Amino acid sequence: MTATYAVVGGGISGLVTAYRIRAAAGPDATILVFDPADRLGGVLRTETLCGTTVDIGAEAFVARRPEVPALLGELGLADRLITPTGVRPTIYAGGRLHPLPPGAVNGIPSTPESVTGLVDQQTVARMAGEPDRPLDWQPGGDPAVGQVVADRFGEQVVTRSVDPMLSGVYAGSAKTIGIRSAVPTVAAALDAGAPSLTAAVRKALPGSTTGPVFGAIAGGYRVLLDELVARSGLEWIPVAVDYMYADFRGWNLADATDQTWRADAVVVALPAPHTAALLDDIAPASAAAAARIPVASSVVLAMGVAAGTPFPPQSGVLVATGEPLHAKAITLSSRKWGGGGAAELLRMSFGRFGDAIARETSDEELLAWAAEDLHRVFGIAADPIEVLMHRWIDALPQYGPGHADLAAAVRAGLPPGVAVAGNFLDGVGVPACLAAAGRAAGAVVAATTV
């Protein structure tokens, strides 16, 4: 008899899980993917804007991690990997644009000179003297990254350099993200005995020959998603799984109408709140740990404006804490990724942890905010030719202090034949999701072949 596998959630984590199950379990396995959305892919969503394909969820991945390039090569898509043009982002702080500090690790600068002009001279002097101050670091600890940086470098470095970076990645802040999630290489350097934060950041800096930091896929993430669906041979069940239970044959999954499907093993690849709800009856300890992971919501507004609109030669703008802007980030997509066309394309992101912008602000108000922000930052009155907008509700987990312990607790409490995947476990980026999906696929295939 061949096994049947259920994957609950059709985002990148679920689709890679299905693909890895197929590779491990063989052509006769049945793979059911449950997702009620209008398409598979989750927060990877490719649309057409002014005749050009654009991603209006996650748009890029960390190319220095091996997972995505390796998967593209495995799927015969290596030639689809593209990298940015090399123009640099800026930070909007103190009412004007500043260059992104060079030689930083996720916003934590390695030299005081790199933030001169971005922060005041008192802060620059504090950074310059930091290597001479005694360091109180507990190896293995995971304080909030903002707590460490504020103590060593000053609060302005947090609000004007670290927060803009973390807001873009997590829709959170340095106060809500643990140092081991935000800058694991810096935490490792401190564990290894770095005598100061300055020394730890310098040790964590990547080499100069490691290539571009970020990558994307020509044609958008849809190219990858379609290939994963085709290669996995999955059957898409377009419903939400409301509950699941075990019997002597395996697992039963049911929707709101009590229609039921049977599977020998299950991978839950949902956001943390939905994972907690689904696991509550069958794995209460795992559910409780997942429920403790906070989440944020955001909105991505993509627009095309007239070709030749005089945006500066920058890849975009990250917004410091406390600035009178609505957006937390602006990406000048045509500048960042290159390519001409009938329009200049850009993306704007709204919504941070703790606010209700994504849930409560109307499309019309968001579009008005976008126009205000573009005028304030660039002095440009940009009339959109076409606009796309998508709301990502509860899609961005907050990797608070001690997050690794929560992720371990989610996995530890699972019954045999059930595994988890998703961006709330080991990292919000696509590479981390691929790694977690591979781990989940391996676990359920092993459980059905003992």
Side-chain angles (χ1 to χ4, degrees), residues 13-111:
S13 297
L15 296 184
V16 172
T17 298
Y19 170 70
R20 294 299 181 201
I21 290 174
R22 176 66 65 203
D28 296 329
T30 298
I31 304 172
L32 308 177
V33 173
F34 295 83
D35 196 305
D38 62 338
R39 68 182 77 176
L40 296 173
V43 296
L44 304 186
R45 189 178 181 96
T46 306
E47 302 280 9
T48 300
L49 179 66
C50 296
T52 301
T53 55
V54 296
D55 284 307
I56 61 167
E59 68 154 355
F61 54 85
V62 178
R64 289 177 179 171
R65 283 190 58 154
E67 291 89 352
V68 179
L71 180 60
L72 292 176
E74 188 178 330
L75 296 173
L77 299 174
D79 61 341
R80 293 282 194 151
L81 174 61
I82 58 175
T83 55
T85 60
V87 295
R88 296 274 294 168
T90 55
I91 293 176
Y92 187 84
R96 63 188 183 90
L97 293 173
H98 304 263
L100 187 75
V105 179
N106 224 354
I108 306 180
S110 58
T111 68

Side-chain angles (χ1 to χ4, degrees), residues 231-244:
R231 295 286 193 101
S232 65
L234 63 84
E235 179 184 348
W236 177 21
I237 312 295
V239 303
V241 175
D242 271 28
Y243 62 96
M244 53 188 287

Side-chain angles (χ1 to χ4, degrees), residues 80-431:
R80 293 282 194 151
L81 174 61
I82 58 175
T83 55
T85 60
V87 295
R88 296 274 294 168
T90 55
I91 293 176
Y92 187 84
R96 63 188 183 90
L97 293 173
H98 304 263
L100 187 75
V105 179
N106 224 354
I108 306 180
S110 58
T111 68
E113 294 78 16
S114 67
V115 291
T116 300
L118 177 62
V119 300
D120 60 28
Q121 284 302 306
Q122 182 179 357
T123 301
V124 172
R126 180 182 179 85
M127 280 191 63
E130 190 267 341
D132 299 322
R133 291 167 46 215
L135 175 68
D136 181 16
W137 173 257
Q138 299 298 319
D142 189 20
V145 64
Q147 175 185 334
V148 177
V149 176
D151 175 60
R152 304 302 298 180
F153 290 168
E155 188 65 33
Q156 278 196 5
V157 176
V158 176
T159 59
R160 297 188 175 194
S161 188
V162 183
D163 267 351
M165 296 293 293
L166 299 187
S167 180
V169 174
Y170 300 97
S173 75
K175 294 180 180 179
T176 63
I177 309 298
I179 193 169
R180 294 192 180 276
S181 297
V183 284
T185 52
V186 173
L190 290 168
D191 285 346
S196 65
L197 182 59
T198 300
V201 174
R202 290 176 181 174
K203 184 176 180 180
L205 286 173
S208 59
T209 60
T210 52
V213 176
F214 298 108
I217 299 174
Y221 272 119
R222 174 54 54 190
V223 172
L224 172 60
L225 300 174
D226 288 345
E227 193 66 21
L228 289 170
V229 170
R231 295 286 193 101
S232 65
L234 63 84
E235 179 184 348
W236 177 21
I237 312 295
V239 303
V241 175
D242 271 28
Y243 62 96
M244 53 188 287
Y245 59 92
D247 62 20
F248 69 95
R249 300 181 305 159
W251 292 95
N252 297 277
L253 299 91
D255 67 6
T257 69
D258 292 329
Q259 183 176 0
T260 304
W261 294 261
R262 192 199 73 80
D264 297 289
V266 181
V267 174
V268 179
L270 296 171
H274 303 290
T275 297
L278 189 57
L279 295 179
D280 194 37
D281 289 334
I282 65 166
S286 294
R292 290 176 57 196
I293 299 172
V295 291
S297 302
S298 68
V299 183
V300 173
L301 185 158
M303 70 169 72
V305 300
T309 299
F311 292 116
Q314 302 159 358
S315 63
V317 180
L318 302 170
V319 180
T321 300
E323 295 299 318
L325 297 180
H326 302 286
K328 64 175 185 277
I330 303 169
T331 301
L332 301 176
S333 304
S334 297
R335 300 283 198 264
K336 182 175 181 177
W337 299 107
E344 191 87 23
L345 305 183
L346 60 104
R347 290 168 34 121
M348 303 180 72
S349 180
F350 302 86
R352 293 179 173 87
F353 176 63
D355 70 31
I357 288 174
R359 294 180 183 276
E360 298 180 1
T361 308
S362 68
D363 289 359
E364 292 76 16
E365 189 169 12
L366 287 167
L367 189 57
W369 284 359
E372 291 174 16
D373 286 357
L374 291 175
H375 188 267
R376 182 183 292 270
V377 174
F378 301 119
I380 291 173
D383 295 323
I385 300 170
E386 186 177 353
V387 175
L388 296 173
M389 202 174 303
H390 203 86
R391 298 166 190 265
W392 302 107
I393 305 301
D394 295 341
L396 294 157
Q398 302 299 291
Y399 278 58
H403 177 84
D405 293 336
L406 285 178
V410 173
R411 288 177 166 127
L414 297 171
V418 178
V420 289
N423 69 354
F424 68 91
L425 292 165
D426 307 317
V428 296
V430 173

